[in-house]
Amino acid sequence: RDARCGFCGPKLVEAFEQKGVADSANLQVLKCSHVGGHVYAGNVISYSGKGTPENEDGHWYGYVKPEDAACVAAGKAVRSNLWRGRLGLSEAGAKKERK
């Protein structure tokens, strides 16, 4: 296995926290050791919370760089080239939904 997750993850956390991105988007940034998919590192999972329609929550992003933090936090990366899908959606469904 490669070390991309361990390299990219801390840089993303720093980007969300230091640039005020988390505060301006009312986000809580949590770290985890690995969510799968080394090839897509840095990975971000975004949960909006209660009251959010099921088809608009649990978005997964890959290849996220620190400079993408504000775009992801603002929800502007949904269905972009960074978007990998969302909870409850198959890979085929994600590809169809992104187009």
Side-chain angles (χ1 to χ4, degrees), residues 14-86:
E14 184 178 321
F16 277 95
E17 291 176 344
Q18 286 191 348
K19 295 179 181 177
V21 172
D23 291 338
S24 66
N26 196 26
L27 297 178
Q28 181 181 15
V29 178
L30 303 172
K31 299 180 238 181
C32 70
S33 60
H34 185 70
V35 295
H38 296 296
V39 70
Y40 300 117
N43 296 300
V44 173
I45 305 172
S46 169
Y47 298 102
S48 299
K50 293 180 181 178
T52 303
E54 185 177 310
N55 66 342
E56 285 301 321
D57 206 8
H59 294 281
W60 288 60
Y61 301 93
Y63 304 121
V64 180
K65 299 178 297 259
E67 56 266 26
D68 299 320
C71 181
V72 171
K76 295 178 181 176
V78 174
R79 294 171 191 84
S80 73
N81 63 327
L82 299 174
W83 191 73
R84 309 307 321 151
R86 60 178 165 74

